[in-house]
Amino acid sequence: MKNRNARRRHWIIASLLCAPVLPLLAAEDPALRVKLEEPQPPTKNRFGMSYRAAFNITAKFKNVGNVRTPNGGPGPGDDVSPGQDRTYDDGYNRVDATGNGGGHTWFWAYKNPSQIVGDTVVMHSTTVRGINSKTIDSDPEHGFELTYNRELGRTGKSKNLPWGLEGGLGWTDIDIRDHRRLSGTTSTINDAYNLEGVDPSRNIIEEGGTTPAPFTEGGSPFAPGTFGGPGALAGDAPDRTITSGTAQVRGARHFDANFFSLRVGPYLEIPIDDRWSFSVSAGAAVGWIDGEFSFNQVRTTGSGASR
């Protein structure tokens, strides 16, 4: 009996000694602590970035091939009075240093021997009549949008539908290309200038040149086809006819643009679950575009090819 009582006292003493230690161990071990925190309210300001794809953006390229030379030859409505600068697809007839005294000029030149018809030189200016490429689209056009929304309140029976104001700034890259071969009708001016028996061979423009080559004859320098001359004289009032024909246009047309958009208005968010929600927004939106059109083409007509 004495031994049992002695052992029982030892256990009681050990329990009393360990009792103050256990709370200390629990306080040091995170696994044994439970901390209750107040739930954080959802943030009222949100920023976002999203991908945007644009569809059904189309372009129509108009007046394809209607490219005239610098200081282009006169159109059908222009008069044929003397003393005017005229430039053609295959030559020119312009006012010289004398002011075309006597109705003649040495400031003229042509490109092809076939332009000499009898005692005249015939020059041509061709205009293509409104070739338009059909509507071209290049879906999809890629871009993105930066958004900001501010929650102003909640609605619904359970007050679980956030609403507020939302703004968005977007950018879309627009890239439309057209490489098709096109055809159409042309109107060609045929202006014949009287040579009155002069030799026109010195007034031809060699390939790669812009004016006829100068020459010396009998010790005198000549510069045919230039403002100062001198050179062979031709009449400066043309005999005009107008003909119709066809044209083929080869090349590429390219429209490259940046489209920017800005919108602002109210929104309503409808939660689906803890991770997904559906949002509806409305309001005002504006957009502006900064673009560039470029092309290269070869136009083939009855009077030759030109770029």
Side-chain angles (χ1 to χ4, degrees), residues 18-281:
C18 292
V21 177
L22 291 175
L24 295 175
L25 293 174
E28 294 179 358
D29 188 354
L32 300 177
R33 294 199 308 268
V34 177
K35 185 178 180 181
L36 299 178
E37 297 181 353
E38 292 291 334
Q40 296 294 325
T43 178
K44 295 183 180 297
N45 299 298
R46 289 190 299 181
F47 295 87
M49 184 175 71
S50 59
Y51 167 76
R52 288 287 186 266
F55 297 90
N56 296 324
I57 296 179
T58 61
K60 178 184 286 186
F61 300 106
K62 303 179 68 175
N63 296 322
V64 176
N66 192 9
V67 179
R68 303 181 69 177
T69 56
N71 302 316
D78 297 322
D79 63 49
V80 292
S81 58
Q84 297 188 43
D85 284 330
R86 295 186 174 93
T87 303
Y88 301 85
D89 295 339
D90 50 11
Y92 55 86
N93 184 295
R94 306 183 64 183
V95 179
D96 63 17
T98 68
N100 290 5
H104 297 84
T105 179
W106 56 56
F107 195 3
W108 65 278
Y110 63 101
K111 294 182 178 180
N112 305 305
S114 60
Q115 292 177 244
I116 303 300
V117 180
D119 197 27
T120 63
V121 56
V122 183
M123 301 185 189
H124 310 87
S125 180
T126 300
T127 301
V128 179
R129 293 177 180 172
I131 298 177
N132 299 328
S133 72
K134 295 181 180 179
T135 300
I136 299 294
D137 59 61
S138 182
D139 293 338
E141 307 293 346
H142 305 285
F144 67 89
E145 184 181 55
L146 299 175
T147 58
Y148 164 74
N149 57 40
R150 168 73 178 181
E151 181 182 325
L152 299 179
R154 290 178 173 250
T155 187
K157 293 182 180 180
S158 303
K159 299 296 183 182
N160 64 336
L161 303 178
W163 67 272
L165 286 176
E166 181 177 75
L169 176 63
W171 168 82
T172 302
D173 179 40
I174 299 175
D175 185 18
I176 300 177
R177 299 172 184 267
D178 180 22
H179 301 275
R180 294 172 298 174
R181 179 174 294 191
L182 305 172
S183 62
T185 61
T186 64
S187 175
T188 301
I189 293 174
N190 309 276
D191 279 357
Y193 292 93
N194 195 346
L195 296 176
E196 298 182 6
V198 301
D199 179 8
S201 62
R202 296 286 190 177
N203 286 69
I204 194 167
I205 302 173
E206 300 295 339
E207 185 174 356
T210 57
T211 59
F215 68 99
T216 301
E217 189 173 281
S220 300
F222 293 88
T226 63
F227 175 76
L233 295 174
D236 68 347
D239 181 14
R240 174 170 297 177
T241 58
I242 298 175
T243 57
S244 297
T246 60
Q248 300 290 326
V249 179
R250 295 178 290 111
R253 293 153 289 280
H254 180 205
F255 180 66
D256 183 24
N258 296 303
F259 176 70
F260 300 94
S261 62
L262 179 65
R263 62 181 180 86
V264 62
Y267 79 92
L268 175 66
E269 184 175 330
I270 304 172
I272 299 175
D273 55 28
D274 293 339
R275 300 183 61 184
W276 298 92
S277 64
F278 178 75
S279 180
V280 179
S281 61

Side-chain angles (χ1 to χ4, degrees), residues 292-303:
E292 181 179 74
F293 172 66
S294 59
F295 69 94
N296 64 79
Q297 62 186 13
V298 176
R299 181 190 69 183
T300 305
T301 66
S303 59

